[in-house]
Amino acid sequence: MSDELRIIISGGGTGGHIFPAVSIADAIRRKRPEAKILFVGAEGRMEMQRVPAAGYDIKGLPIAGFDRKRLWKNFAVVMKIIKSRRLAAGILKDFRPQVAVGVGGYASGPTLNVAESMGVPTVLQEQNSYAGVTNKLLAKKAAKICVAYDGMERFFPADRILLTGNPVRAGLAAPKCTKEEAVKTFGLQPGKRTVLLIGGSLGARTMNESVLGNLPLIKAQTDVQFIWQTGKYYSAEINEEMSRRGKPENLYFSDFISDMATAYAAADLVISRAGAGSISEFCLLGKPVILVPSPNVSEDHQTKNALALVQKDAAIYVPDDNARRTLLPLAINTVNDDAKLKSLAENILKLAKPNAADDIADIVIALAEKR
């Protein structure tokens, strides 16, 4: 066998899939600088920009997900799947990988399915506590299945499961500044308790409405301040609302926070959706968190992610339909409760897997070397 490793990594669609994928690729490159790594993503999705920006080549498939509400539209989806399988076969024949890695997202299904049919060993990286349909099907022939939660043998063959955790974005574990310096970056006051609200890069309507509906409560706080990522989708609406009602001095808001390491360093408490990637970051950093799972995800997997932490007293859970009424008062009470913050931080830190990217890279390299 040639000493040159050739690895395909497939998936994307959201940062929660892309960040782990790039972290795994970076770890492989650190260990084997000569490795050739090719990404396969979905045309029109964010991986087609983010992956090249990280320094890797990517091929796009014309793949889309099934429309579960408008079933009559799925004929076009089936045709895209057939075309994507054909294109994936061509990509694999040309690139000749020794291993194909799937991180979730539309493109990973046809890519890994074709790889398995061609005899290429596959590695699944399941980020959530509840496995999706595609990964459950792919797992039947997968060589290894890397997971982030206990109890995943209810979805996958137990003899191929490895508890690695989820890789996270580079640089988060080593903040560039102190908490006081981080707070000043957002124009807020050192010495006050700080709550960070993040609903993803596009935003989360429920969390945004929870803030807008509680502006008088926020203004009334003398010892608590807030950093709020509104999301780009809601930016114009919220700017207009703030201009009309007046922005509280103890509230910083922006449609997107590019330097999340600094935002985390500033925060005493985080409010977030319950995506697997975000949860892994909170575990690594030992951040107390209130999780508000999105109701708009397949198989309600974010609620299952949140409850997996709640069962270990490592997070607080607020259902989406209760958030507008209860979220902000609960956050203010929690951030002022030293004992609760300490307990949440200690318990979530116990769940961290700081070496996830390196461990998965070792698994991929070992399989590739056998080829």
Side-chain angles (χ1 to χ4, degrees):
M1 187 198 83
S2 167
D3 288 338
E4 182 180 85
L5 298 187
R6 305 180 71 83
I7 311 295
I8 274 182
I9 301 177
S10 183
T14 67
H17 293 309
I18 296 167
F19 294 137
V22 171
S23 295
I24 293 167
D26 288 345
I28 293 171
R29 278 268 176 88
R30 286 195 300 271
K31 295 169 183 290
R32 296 291 295 269
E34 84 291 352
K36 302 296 183 185
I37 300 172
L38 176 66
F39 281 73
V40 179
E43 292 177 354
R45 305 289 288 187
M46 63 191 296
E47 60 264 27
M48 301 307 293
Q49 286 76 45
R50 295 287 182 88
V51 168
Y56 296 97
D57 293 332
I58 187 168
K59 300 284 188 181
L61 302 179
I63 187 72
F66 282 101
D67 191 327
R68 302 185 185 202
K69 295 182 180 178
R70 294 169 294 181
L71 297 178
W72 65 90
K73 292 200 169 188
N74 286 324
F75 176 75
V77 175
V78 171
M79 299 308 294
K80 287 181 178 181
I81 291 172
I82 293 170
K83 184 177 180 180
S84 294
R85 282 180 55 86
R86 187 172 68 250
L87 291 172
I91 291 168
L92 267 81
K93 287 176 182 176
D94 289 342
F95 188 71
R96 296 174 290 108
Q98 290 117 357
V99 178
V101 182
V103 297
Y106 297 142
S108 66
T111 304
L112 265 71
N113 186 256
V114 169
E116 290 175 345
S117 71
M118 296 171 66
V120 177
T122 60
V123 174
L124 298 183
Q125 203 262 314
E126 174 55 65
Q127 294 144 20
N128 294 295
S129 64
Y130 191 90
V133 173
T134 300
N135 270 0
K136 283 188 279 190
L137 293 172
L138 292 171
K140 294 176 181 179
K141 294 184 178 180
K144 299 293 180 183
I145 305 156
C146 300
V147 302
Y149 293 88
D150 294 321
M152 297 301 286
E153 61 274 2
R154 67 191 191 277
F155 304 113
F156 303 132
D159 61 334
R160 283 175 270 158
I161 292 175
L162 295 161
L163 183 61
T164 59
N166 287 325
V168 300
R169 285 177 278 190
L172 286 180
K176 301 183 288 284
C177 57
T178 65
K179 180 181 188 300
E180 290 72 21
E181 291 168 339
V183 166
K184 289 180 181 178
T185 299
F186 296 97
L188 299 174
Q189 297 184 35
K192 291 188 175 185
R193 300 295 172 96
T194 304
V195 178
L196 170 64
L197 299 103
I198 45 176
S201 58
L202 295 179
R205 178 174 291 280
T206 298
M207 291 169 63
N208 289 344
E209 290 178 351
S210 299
V211 175
L212 292 174
N214 283 277
L215 285 180
L217 178 63
I218 290 172
K219 289 179 181 179
Q221 301 306 305
T222 57
D223 296 318
V224 180
Q225 54 196 358
F226 301 83
I227 299 169
W228 176 26
Q229 179 177 278
T230 66
K232 294 183 178 181
Y233 185 80
Y234 301 99
S235 178
E237 173 188 335
I238 289 171
N239 284 331
E240 182 180 337
E241 191 73 9
M242 283 296 179
S243 297
R244 186 176 66 83
R245 298 173 61 180
K247 183 186 81 67
E249 291 185 2
N250 60 337
L251 173 66
Y252 168 92
F253 75 97
S254 175
D255 63 342
F256 182 70
I257 299 172
S258 58
D259 187 356
M260 283 306 302
T262 299
Y264 285 144
D268 297 288
L269 175 69
V270 180
I271 299 173
S272 173
R273 289 304 201 189
S278 296
I279 287 176
S280 295
E281 292 177 355
F282 306 144
C283 292
L284 181 67
L285 298 171
K287 281 294 171 185
V289 61
I290 298 175
L291 297 172
V292 187
S294 170
N296 305 312
V297 295
S298 60
E299 285 127 347
D300 197 25
H301 68 255
Q302 285 203 6
T303 295
K304 297 175 177 72
N305 290 346
L307 293 177
L309 269 68
V310 170
Q311 290 165 4
K312 298 184 179 181
D313 296 321
I316 297 171
Y317 160 57
V318 173
D320 186 83
D321 56 3
N322 290 349
R324 293 171 181 83
R325 177 174 52 87
T326 65
L327 182 58
L328 264 294
L330 175 62
I332 291 166
N333 288 338
T334 303
V335 81
N336 283 313
D337 186 337
D338 288 337
K340 185 64 174 176
L341 290 179
K342 184 173 184 289
S343 172
L344 288 170
E346 289 175 348
N347 290 336
I348 201 168
L349 191 59
K350 292 175 186 176
L351 305 179
K353 299 286 184 184
N355 300 316
D358 282 320
D359 291 344
I360 295 169
D362 286 339
I363 292 163
V364 174
I365 291 169
L367 280 172
E369 288 177 338
K370 287 182 180 179
R371 296 273 289 178

